[in-house]
Amino acid sequence: MAEESGVTADLPVKRQREDGESEDNGGVSVSVELEDSGCNHNELENMSSVIPGWFSEISPMWPGEAHSLKVEKILFQGKSEYQNVIVFQSSTYGKVLVLDGVIQLTERDECAYQEMITHLPLCSIPNPKKVLVIGGGDGGVLREVSRHASVEQIDICEIDKMVIDVSKQFFPRVAVGYEDSRVTLHIGDGVAFLKAVPQGTYDAVIVDSSDPIGPAQELFKKPFFESVAKALRPGGVMCTQAESIWLHMHIIEDIVSNCRQIFKGSVNYAWTTVPTYPSGVIGFMLCSTEGPTVDFKHPVNPIDADESHCKSNGPLKFYNSEMHTAAFCLPSFAKKVIDSKAK
């Protein structure tokens, strides 16, 4: 899913207490030594806070809670044109990529997100040939798309080159997707890129966006979904990151409502578990355009039945056909809201 530098998002980082000083912030302080990367400490004011040796993800999008990871070492911090970017070594989840104070991926659990956002749509249609990825600068979705032998063309449009460069340096097993000869990289705004795409170009569009704040805001709005639908062939599919059922049902309601107006084929919501994402789960909106029927719940192109893709990208760690179908089973509270938008 997604872009910033430093060690907090909305609360300023505070220096460690000196002997004799009183704590005025409930014990929140920084005891992690930041490596010299050309950033001064004033540039680190908008990052998720760290309490002695821990990174805590704090955001108004999940008020009243925070998920923390123990920090072994800060490996990179920088500020791109769009966001702050940080990479740190955690104690239990390997290296961690943080954008604007929000965890985008960790080495341990990235498979649960990358594999599901890719194979849920691509395994639901026979022989996908042309695929567009919007966002996904870390390269993980590219890695998964490249497992499909039928795919002939993989375009990716990522707005922030720093995310790509940092991912190639610190997450080579994720960014390996860029090494596929079928991949063409476009650095730029995904909204503008889609508007210029000829009608009916792609079999699938995968939108790997961060949360609907900052540079990703436009990727959750109705005009963007209209552009996606136009870029897809009849019976083509879209899969987009669609937030958490535990935290963002109001956002999900809007996404479902917009997609049901625009996509005249199938419209479904699926979800997966990612321990380091807020609430531990993340969802996907899957839609198809009018044309050949798409039954997202029952894959017709099972990637886990063929192991030839494992040679360059390694075995699948999370996705299988049973997980595919199970992803569309919703808890009652979410099912009630999402089904109501079908009327």
Side-chain angles (χ1 to χ4, degrees), residues 2-4 76 80 82-83 85 87 97-99 104-105 133-140 142 155-179 183-189 208:
E3 311 171 5
E4 268 209 343
F76 175 87
S80 75
Y82 301 97
Q83 55 208 345
V85 182
V87 178
L97 174 65
V98 180
L99 303 178
Q104 301 301 305
L105 68 84
V133 180
I134 299 292
D138 53 69
L142 296 179
D155 292 332
I156 177 171
C157 185
E158 163 64 47
I159 198 169
D160 197 337
K161 188 175 184 297
M162 181 180 285
V163 174
I164 298 170
D165 294 340
V166 167
S167 298
K168 287 181 177 180
Q169 180 178 354
F170 294 101
F171 301 91
R173 292 183 181 177
V174 178
V176 66
Y178 285 104
E179 298 176 11
V183 172
T184 300
L185 171 62
H186 307 267
I187 303 292
D189 176 52
D208 179 12

Side-chain angles (χ1 to χ4, degrees), residues 233-236 263-266 288-294:
R233 63 156 173 84
F263 293 91
K264 302 306 180 184
S266 301
S288 66
T289 55
E290 189 173 12
T293 302
V294 177

Side-chain angles (χ1 to χ4, degrees), residues 144-163:
E144 296 307 315
V145 174
S146 69
R147 293 183 188 273
H148 290 263
S150 65
V151 173
E152 300 169 354
Q153 175 183 334
I154 310 170
D155 292 332
I156 177 171
C157 185
E158 163 64 47
I159 198 169
D160 197 337
K161 188 175 184 297
M162 181 180 285
V163 174

Side-chain angles (χ1 to χ4, degrees), residues 66-78:
H67 182 231
S68 301
L69 292 177
K70 189 173 183 181
V71 179
E72 296 292 337
K73 186 179 183 182
I74 302 293
L75 302 175
F76 175 87
Q77 57 190 29

Side-chain angles (χ1 to χ4, degrees), residues 6 39 53 108-109 117 146 150 181 189 194 225 238 294 304:
C39 280
R108 180 179 175 185
D109 66 7
I117 196 174
S146 69
S150 65
S181 61
D189 176 52
L194 262 178
F225 293 135
M238 174 196 76
V294 177
D304 53 324

Side-chain angles (χ1 to χ4, degrees), residues 19 46 70 94-95 137:
D19 288 341
N46 286 322
K70 189 173 183 181
K95 290 193 286 291

